Amino acid sequence: MTNKIKVILIHKLLSSKIQFLKGVGPANAVKLSKLGILTIGQLLEHYPRRYEDRSKLKSITELTDGQYESFRAVVIHVNELKSRRGFKIIKIAVQDQAGVAQLTWFNQSYMKNKYKPGMELIISGKIQRHANIIEVTKPDIEPASEFYAGSGRIIPVYPTTEDVPQWRLRSLILQAINLLKNSVTPEEIESLPTSIIDKHNLLTRKQALVNIHFAVDMETLVKARRRLVFEELFLLQCGLAYLKQRNKYNSKGIKHAPDGVLVAKVENHLSFKLTNDQNKTLREIKADMEDVTPMQRLVQGDVGSGKTVIAAIALAKTVENGYQGAMMAPTEILAEQHYHTLAQLLAPHSIKLAILTGKLSRRTRDEVLRHFKDGAIDVVVGTHALIQDDVEFAHLGLVVTDEQHRFGVRQRARLESKGNQPDVLIMTATPIPRTMALTVYGDLDVSIIRELPPGRQPVATYSRSNTRRNKVYLFAAEQIKAGRQVYVVCPLVEESDKIEAQSAVKIYEELSATFFKNIPCALLHGKMKPQEKEAIMTAFSCGDIKALIATTVIEVGVNVPNATVMIIEGADRFGLAQLHQLRGRVGRGKYKSYCILLSDNTNEETLERLKIMTEVNDGFVLADRDLLLRGPGQFFGTNQHGLPDLKIANIVTDTDILLEARSAAQHTVCTPEYLDTVWQTLQNWFGEKFSMIFCR
């Protein structure tokens, strides 16, 4: 193999339908499809979620309370009981030579017919000892006849459903592994260059697939996982590096001239001095815009760090060069805020602005669209309305997307397509953990604004249980009497039987009648009509409304410097990033501000998360802590940025491998002649998602 990336040669065995395996009929094929398994290749890539060492099965009397353990036993009795509340309880007694244990299920009557006296089982689960009774609730069971655990064998445990028991999935994967061993050469399924395999001391893909499922020892299992994690992250990084390289070698965009009179006027008339981080970010943006390669830059800035000012100067630069600028925001409230801010900064210098949202009348909308098309409008601010088919620009030079994580990749691409390779500036006030920035946004150049402008002060944050709730609202009422304003945020709009959380409607009714009686209050939530929301937010901004009870619709909202208190009901139901966004609504003026987190949740992890909020005001630190606490989840879902969910890699725990794979990918894709090979490899790897991810 050369030092180029070799295209994956998908062997016909791997693309064969799952019915090819013994014991998989139409019914089982449907069950497996619910796990995303349609082919033998997908079965082999259905990786274990954990492993159990069953080399030494314990006797029942040796089982340890509170531990997850395995033992072999025979069914001696099956019984179904009914609780006082009407629950059906299935209890199965099993025994070995040393003792008796009890297996328990709730409302799963089919279990009484599944296991009959005399059946020998391998049972795994968390052991519970009650006096002389040993119990295992909802155990993992497989027939002893199907048990695959030779001496010293590490047993894989897979993500599955009740329809597909572990032993059956294990049996099918073992069949697939044996076919792989006997029918496929290592070269036919290899995805990495030999040079990279050798340099990074990796197993072959064939070795890794065999051992990720049925490793002979832990050392081999660790090597197998490392290989597959490296491969996944390497190919992802190749794709992201490819996007950068493609722009560099194949894309020719707008080459803006150095700053002229207009940009100088806008900068010189600012009523404040830019911070060092703002100046650095601005220099990076200007350098991008003055290059013929289209800018693709992400600006991360904490809440209130002054990103809009930077966007305003960039928009002035494109206007000065004879182009138009467009700024897209996720909500009408935020679009209105940006429009007014940009108007203050740009309109005095004869830059013509317009706003385009869904609430415009047909006549007004048509007039605005006509001015876009003939070039009479220099800068437009809008919502998703900007990406409608009938929106046309005379010469679009710069696209700014704010709070970009709220848009899908196709939506952003549609706005960009309305110009001829315009420069693209993406802004977010949601700090992104470093590992995510290297993956989700690895194809972008990144600027970070950490400094807050002078005058912004840290918000004092407190975590309180509901026993202190009355005191919290008495304090809020005192702040209102002193001339300030208050936010109250609730997780739900209306009461829910499923979730025990305070609803916005209930809280509004309660506060209006008690602590905030005779105080102008308002209720705001996402189910309201746009006109209603706007009227309420305008009244709150003007100070006519003193207390705003809302859902997270105000997470990204208008700037109200007079608001000094943020009370978050059911704070345990929010992640750190969202809590920080909400906290950012206060502390915007000259008055000391407070954020109070109300929760009765006693979960240790939840208490730790709320404690972090009281100790840390830096959004970037919080983002890293949040990722560590909650895990990556579906950061790679296609809805927001187009990247696929990772099958085995974990960007929280696999950072070292990520950096290693990224370095290898950048080296591989550093010269133009390798790009076509990378393109083919990625098409094979990402399949149907390829065009959405990389053709943008």
Side-chain angles (χ1 to χ4, degrees):
M1 184 185 294
T2 67
N3 59 347
K4 291 186 179 183
I5 297 181
K6 180 178 178 179
V7 179
I8 304 172
L9 300 174
I10 301 182
H11 191 279
K12 63 180 181 180
L13 170 70
L14 302 186
S15 58
S16 299
K17 297 296 183 184
I18 199 71
Q19 288 96 320
F20 181 81
L21 295 177
K22 182 182 178 180
V24 181
N28 282 330
V30 171
K31 294 175 183 177
L32 289 165
S33 70
K34 294 177 182 178
L35 294 170
I37 300 172
L38 302 174
T39 67
I40 292 177
Q42 290 170 335
L43 180 65
L44 289 171
E45 291 183 356
H46 189 74
Y47 300 125
R49 58 183 168 86
R50 61 182 176 83
Y51 299 85
E52 294 174 8
D53 184 357
R54 296 185 185 174
S55 56
K56 294 181 180 178
L57 295 175
K58 288 190 172 183
S59 67
I60 288 176
T61 55
E62 293 174 327
L63 297 173
T64 307
D65 184 42
Q67 297 298 309
Y68 193 100
E69 294 181 329
S70 303
F71 59 99
R72 183 190 297 260
V74 176
V75 176
I76 56 175
H77 186 261
V78 179
N79 193 22
E80 181 176 23
L81 308 172
K82 276 191 177 180
S83 70
R84 292 179 180 177
R85 296 185 178 183
F87 292 125
K88 292 181 179 180
I89 305 172
I90 307 301
K91 291 186 177 293
I92 297 179
V94 297
Q95 70 174 12
D96 62 9
Q97 294 180 342
V100 177
Q102 182 174 275
L103 315 181
T104 304
W105 292 267
F106 296 95
N107 285 333
Q108 296 185 36
S109 295
Y110 65 91
M111 289 295 180
K112 66 182 178 183
N113 299 317
K114 190 172 183 179
Y115 301 111
K116 302 293 185 181
M119 288 182 66
E120 188 175 10
L121 308 173
I122 303 297
I123 302 154
S124 301
K126 188 175 182 179
I127 307 303
Q128 296 173 292
R129 284 183 173 268
H130 310 287
N132 296 323
I133 299 173
I134 297 173
E135 184 178 23
V136 187
T137 302
K138 292 184 67 177
D140 175 17
I141 294 178
E142 56 189 292
S145 59
E146 301 286 350
F147 182 54
Y148 180 79
S151 178
R153 180 64 66 182
I154 299 166
I155 301 302
V157 180
Y158 297 95
T160 189
T161 64
E162 289 182 353
D163 290 341
V164 185
Q166 287 288 337
W167 65 266
R168 178 169 290 145
L169 198 51
R170 220 170 271 142
S171 174
L172 293 175
I173 290 175
L174 181 59
Q175 272 193 69
I177 288 291
N178 289 331
L179 288 170
L180 178 70
K181 287 180 178 178
N182 300 326
S183 308
V184 183
T185 66
E187 291 76 21
E188 287 178 307
I189 61 165
E190 189 51 72
S191 61
L192 300 179
T194 303
S195 58
I196 286 183
I197 292 173
D198 293 341
K199 180 179 179 180
H200 297 276
N201 193 27
L202 301 172
L203 298 181
T204 66
R205 190 162 197 266
K206 181 176 179 179
Q207 290 172 324
L209 285 173
V210 169
N211 287 286
I212 197 68
H213 295 288
F214 300 112
V216 293
D217 53 47
M218 285 303 297
E219 182 181 356
T220 309
L221 174 59
V222 169
K223 288 181 179 179
R225 185 182 183 278
R226 180 175 177 271
R227 153 65 207 231
L228 294 171
V229 168
F230 183 97
E231 171 190 277
E232 189 167 49
L233 294 174
F234 172 78
L235 287 171
L236 178 61
Q237 290 297 319
C238 277
L240 296 170
Y242 176 84
L243 288 179
K244 276 193 174 182
Q245 290 288 12
R246 187 183 62 182
N247 285 339
K248 183 174 181 180
Y249 290 103
N250 297 335
S251 297
K252 188 173 182 179
I254 299 166
K255 183 176 174 63
H256 289 81
D259 292 350
V261 175
L262 181 59
V263 172
K265 282 183 178 179
V266 172
E267 291 182 350
N268 292 335
H269 282 78
L270 294 177
S271 60
F272 48 85
K273 184 179 179 182
L274 296 179
T275 65
N276 291 331
D277 280 356
Q278 283 176 313
N279 277 316
K280 181 175 181 294
T281 297
L282 195 52
R283 286 195 299 272
E284 292 168 341
I285 291 170
K286 288 179 178 180
D288 286 348
M289 294 179 73
E290 291 168 17
D291 193 302
V292 70
T293 301
M295 173 171 67
Q296 290 282 334
R297 182 167 292 277
L298 170 69
V299 175
Q300 291 190 69
D302 214 338
V303 176
S305 61
K307 299 180 297 299
T308 307
V309 176
I310 300 301
I313 296 172
L315 288 165
K317 187 176 181 71
T318 204
V319 172
E320 183 175 62
N321 281 264
Y323 296 97
Q324 294 167 295
M327 186 173 190
M328 185 165 67
T331 65
E332 291 189 356
I333 292 173
L334 189 56
E336 291 274 1
Q337 177 184 329
H338 282 318
Y339 173 73
H340 291 301
T341 301
L342 292 177
Q344 291 173 2
L345 296 170
L346 302 179
H349 306 289
S350 301
I351 295 176
K352 300 178 181 64
L353 295 95
I355 186 166
L356 184 67
T357 61
K359 70 177 185 180
L360 296 183
S361 68
R362 182 61 183 268
R363 182 177 178 181
T364 303
R365 185 176 188 276
D366 289 344
E367 184 180 354
V368 170
L369 293 183
R370 187 172 67 254
H371 290 322
F372 290 169
K373 191 172 182 179
D374 63 22
I377 297 295
D378 299 314
V379 173
V380 60
V381 182
T383 56
H384 300 76
L386 286 173
I387 64 176
Q388 299 301 312
D389 292 338
D390 58 351
V391 177
E392 298 179 54
F393 293 87
H395 28 246
L396 185 61
L398 174 64
V399 171
V400 181
T401 307
D402 193 26
E403 294 301 330
Q404 58 75 40
H405 62 285
R406 293 174 177 243
F407 295 102
V409 65
R410 286 193 178 97
Q411 293 170 318
R412 299 197 301 272
R414 284 186 67 184
L415 180 55
E416 293 167 29
S417 70
K418 293 182 181 294
N420 184 17
Q421 298 285 347
D423 286 328
V424 176
L425 182 63
I426 298 169
M427 305 194 305
T428 180
T430 304
I432 302 165
R434 178 168 176 255
T435 49
M436 278 191 69
L438 293 177
T439 48
V440 179
Y441 306 105
D443 60 316
L444 305 176
D445 295 307
V446 180
S447 297
I448 298 177
I449 304 177
R450 298 189 75 111
E451 291 177 276
L452 292 180
R456 287 300 304 262
Q457 50 186 311
V459 177
T461 305
Y462 304 92
S463 178
R464 297 288 184 260
S465 70
N466 284 335
T467 58
R468 305 278 293 276
R469 193 165 173 271
N470 288 356
K471 290 185 178 180
V472 168
Y473 281 111
L474 285 171
F475 169 74
E478 290 172 1
Q479 285 281 302
I480 293 172
K481 289 176 183 176
R484 309 285 80 78
Q485 290 166 272
V486 172
Y487 290 100
V488 179
V489 176
C490 312
L492 299 175
V493 176
E494 298 169 345
E495 286 292 348
S496 169
D497 294 330
K498 295 181 180 179
I499 304 176
E500 294 179 1
Q502 299 280 13
S503 75
V505 173
K506 179 184 175 183
I507 293 293
Y508 172 72
E509 292 172 350
E510 175 195 341
L511 294 178
S512 298
T514 55
F515 299 102
F516 296 164
K517 190 175 182 180
N518 300 322
I519 292 174
C521 301
L523 173 66
L524 182 71
H525 55 73
K527 293 183 178 181
M528 299 171 72
K529 294 180 179 179
Q531 296 88 339
E532 292 179 281
K533 288 189 283 188
E534 183 188 358
I536 291 170
M537 287 306 299
T538 300
F540 188 65
S541 299
C542 296
D544 296 334
I545 292 173
K546 302 299 182 183
L548 184 62
I549 294 88
T551 58
T552 53
V553 68
I554 57 96
E555 180 184 348
V556 178
V558 296
N559 183 35
V560 184
N562 192 50
T564 58
V565 180
M566 167 64 70
I567 299 171
I568 304 176
E569 294 271 3
D572 53 288
R573 301 190 176 277
F574 301 92
L576 285 175
Q578 195 171 31
L579 289 173
H580 183 62
Q581 282 282 309
L582 292 168
R583 176 168 62 183
R585 294 298 100 207
V586 296
R588 292 170 167 259
K590 60 184 179 180
Y591 306 106
K592 183 173 177 59
S593 296
Y594 309 85
C595 178
I596 305 169
L597 312 173
L598 290 173
S599 172
D600 272 343
N601 194 311
T602 57
N603 177 273
E604 189 174 334
E605 183 180 308
T606 299
L607 294 175
E608 174 65 20
R609 191 168 76 247
L610 298 182
K611 182 183 178 186
I612 291 171
M613 276 294 297
T614 66
E615 298 172 342
V616 179
N617 263 281
D618 187 322
F620 292 93
V621 175
L622 284 173
D624 285 328
R625 296 275 193 95
D626 201 20
L627 184 61
L628 190 63
L629 283 173
R630 296 197 297 161
Q634 290 196 347
F635 280 137
F636 298 89
T638 59
N639 183 46
Q640 300 304 334
H641 37 67
L643 297 181
D645 291 339
L646 296 176
K647 294 179 181 178
I648 191 167
N650 182 314
I651 61 171
V652 179
T653 56
D654 294 324
T655 304
D656 291 344
I657 303 177
L658 168 62
L659 296 175
E660 192 178 351
R662 186 169 186 263
S663 175
Q666 289 175 331
H667 177 74
T668 303
V669 192
C670 66
T671 53
E673 62 261 29
Y674 294 165
L675 296 186
D676 288 342
T677 310
V678 172
W679 188 267
Q680 289 177 287
T681 304
L682 292 167
Q683 279 182 301
N684 285 331
W685 184 255
F686 291 110
E688 294 177 357
K689 293 181 180 178
F690 173 82
S691 60
M692 186 175 71
I693 301 167
F694 298 113
C695 296
R696 65 179 201 248

